[in-house]
Amino acid sequence: MDDPLICARAIHFAATIAAVGAIFFSIFIAGPAFSKVDAGARSPTVLRAQFAWLAWIGLAVAALSGAVWFILVAQSMSDTSFADVFSEGALWTVLLQTGFGRAWLARLILACLLAAVLTVSFQRRGKTPLANIFAVVLAGGFVGTLAFAGHAVGASGFEGVLHPAADFAHLVAAAGWVGMLVPLTLWLAAAARDEALAGAAYTVAKRFSNVSLVTVGVLLITGSINALYLAGSLFAITETDYGRLLLIKVALFLLMVAVAAVNRQVWTPRLVQDGNVASNREALSRLRRNAAIEVGFGALIIVIVAVLGMTPPSLHQQAITEMQHHSH
Amino acid sequence: MRIRITLVMLLLGAVGAGAARAHAFLDHASPLVGSTVATAPSEVALTFTQNLEAAFSSVQITDGKGVRVEQGKPQISGNTMRVGLKAAGPGRYQVHWHVLSVDTHKTEGNFSFTVSGP
């Protein structure tokens, strides 16, 4: 049954995106904003610790769910029982002799390196630029290489290069948007309680919104490339499970974009209305609520992605249908 | 609100529906699927729609009596799998393939070809 694999995939996607999002947020958004907060304030220390925990827990859960995912795939590949997959050397064969195994090996190495760099980066409060650069590159690599565990691989020629590259960028952008929403919500919640943070809330909301513009653009372009290769035709989108799931995913994505647009256009500008404390508080509260709603939509999208990876892509399914008709 | 409920229901329905697996399937073969050839080929070549994992892809070829006639392990390169044939006489041959595509999905299938002459 595919259900345990779908669960492992969903948890792994969510944990990876959460961990990478926390790292991206700490470096790109929180770092610059903290410099505008009074040095004596206690909240930045608390928030830094929260982001670090988010990254560490995300990485730990990603490691665990990644191991379960790997074992389930190895079991399926080698047609053995759960017990035999450990005893008959199937794990090694999958790890060393298949593309999926080599991708997992590379991701394990990336995760270990990332953990080492994070230890330095978090200890020095993000003030070591070199460690930050390494953390961003390794975190991006860790989430992006998930592309090599899915439908993006398998083709030859130009598609064999463009499709995995587009999927890699898609995953990094997803972590840069959906993954950063959780630490953003934490920040906004803390800012509602602490005046020192509230002063930097506009910087945070604006920076996040600007980064989102870029990531949403990347998601649209790379998502279209993926859809072109996997869904292909109108028939394939409307008449297959894969296509219908993809439509739901796109609908959820558009809802997220709509909520994000309201945050950008309506509530973020209200944060700079000096002197109007009530208006600021309302804006903070609305921003936080909307960010939490976006997190909910993002989680649903991740579940769909976990199922999509297990569903035959529309074009494959369409071709099979045509073959069956042909042979009758 | 109704839209959201509909979406969630659609999502849950889709998740519950389960998922079939079929990713690398046979694109073409030599000898051609279902064909009749004059002389026995020295090898059978199968080309798939996706690249294959050599460690978990195999092919069995049997003659009319069910005796295995493939020779050695199949050679796999990209999306093509080739296997040699032992000296084979006229008759109908069954090819059963079982492959793993690089996107981790398994597929299998059968076809036959007929050798009409020596």
Side-chain angles (χ1 to χ4, degrees):
Chain A
M1 212 34 214
D2 291 338
D3 294 355
L5 187 50
I6 289 174
C7 282
R9 285 170 55 91
I11 293 170
H12 188 75
F13 275 116
T16 304
I17 284 175
V20 173
I23 295 162
F24 283 177
F25 190 90
S26 299
I27 293 169
F28 291 124
I29 314 279
F34 282 141
S35 62
K36 298 192 175 183
V37 178
D38 178 14
R42 193 175 157 271
S43 296
T45 314
V46 175
L47 271 178
R48 272 198 196 94
Q50 285 179 349
F51 299 155
W53 273 109
L54 195 57
W56 284 122
I57 292 172
L59 268 184
V61 174
L64 204 65
S65 54
V68 173
W69 180 349
F70 178 78
I71 291 164
L72 290 172
V73 167
Q75 186 194 347
S76 155
M77 282 180 175
S78 55
D79 278 326
T80 50
S81 67
F82 194 77
D84 287 345
V85 79
F86 292 98
S87 58
E88 293 185 2
L91 290 178
W92 284 111
T93 311
V94 173
L95 191 68
L96 301 173
Q97 293 184 32
T98 69
F100 174 78
R102 287 189 287 267
W104 242 232
L105 200 57
R107 298 190 69 233
L108 180 64
I109 294 168
L110 281 171
C112 292
L113 290 173
L114 180 59
V117 169
L118 281 187
T119 310
V120 177
S121 181
F122 285 147
Q123 258 181 7
R124 306 211 173 145
R125 299 185 156 203
K127 286 175 184 163
T128 319
L130 196 63
N132 289 348
I133 293 169
F134 274 121
V136 168
V137 170
L138 291 167
F142 182 60
V143 66
T145 43
L146 265 172
F148 299 103
H151 289 134
V153 292
S156 320
F158 183 61
E159 184 189 340
V161 178
L162 180 65
H163 196 179
D167 210 23
F168 190 105
H170 196 77
L171 284 153
V172 175
W177 188 26
V178 181
M180 290 214 296
L181 280 166
V182 179
L184 175 73
T185 312
L186 288 174
W187 173 290
L188 294 169
R193 295 188 299 263
D194 187 346
E195 285 298 320
L197 281 179
Y202 179 75
T203 310
V204 167
K206 191 72 187 162
R207 281 185 84 96
F208 178 82
S209 186
N210 289 344
V211 172
S212 301
L213 270 187
V214 178
T215 51
V216 168
V218 173
L219 285 171
L220 268 175
I221 296 166
T222 53
S224 303
I225 294 172
N226 285 347
L228 207 64
Y229 282 128
L230 293 172
S233 67
L234 197 62
F235 163 85
I237 288 174
T238 52
E239 300 299 320
T240 64
D241 286 347
Y242 189 92
R244 290 181 199 126
L245 272 173
L246 195 60
L247 281 181
I248 299 171
K249 186 190 168 195
V250 170
L252 287 168
F253 171 77
L254 292 177
L255 281 172
M256 278 184 80
V257 172
V259 175
V262 170
N263 266 0
R264 181 181 173 85
Q265 298 299 331
V266 179
W267 300 114
T268 303
R270 297 235 188 142
L271 289 174
V272 277
Q273 289 177 348
D274 288 336
N276 191 340
V277 177
S279 173
N280 273 7
R281 276 188 185 279
E282 191 196 359
L284 267 178
S285 152
R286 294 296 180 110
L287 280 168
R288 188 185 64 202
R289 196 194 63 185
N290 287 349
I293 290 171
E294 286 181 69
V295 170
F297 285 142
L300 284 175
I301 288 179
I302 287 171
V303 173
I304 293 181
V305 169
V307 180
L308 278 176
M310 302 301 302
T311 310
S314 298
L315 272 189
H316 299 193
Q317 219 171 19
Q318 190 182 1
I320 291 167
T321 313
E322 280 167 7
M323 274 189 102
Q324 282 167 349
H325 287 164
H326 188 66
S327 64
H328 286 165
Chain B
M1 194 61 197
R2 273 184 68 180
I3 295 173
R4 272 187 214 161
I5 291 170
T6 312
L7 277 171
V8 170
M9 283 175 69
L10 273 172
L11 173 70
L12 293 177
V15 172
R21 293 176 173 193
H23 295 264
F25 53 91
L26 190 64
D27 188 61
H28 60 272
S30 166
L32 292 170
V33 172
S35 66
T36 300
V37 289
T39 53
S42 60
E43 67 166 21
V44 172
L46 300 98
T47 305
F48 292 86
T49 54
Q50 287 212 298
N51 290 342
L52 306 178
E53 291 290 5
F56 295 102
S57 299
S58 63
V59 59
Q60 286 180 10
I61 303 169
T62 49
D63 63 15
K65 294 171 193 154
V67 178
R68 300 263 297 262
V69 292
E70 82 272 11
Q71 199 162 34
K73 283 192 168 183
Q75 301 293 312
I76 292 165
S77 169
N79 62 346
T80 303
M81 177 157 67
R82 299 172 180 279
V83 68
L85 273 190
K86 291 173 187 165
R92 193 176 155 91
Y93 293 86
Q94 277 289 337
V95 180
H96 178 73
W97 53 265
H98 181 280
V99 300
L100 177 73
S101 66
V102 289
D103 66 1
T104 75
H105 299 286
K106 288 185 298 187
T107 39
E108 60 182 317
N110 291 290
F111 70 90
S112 63
F113 64 90
T114 305
V115 177
S116 61

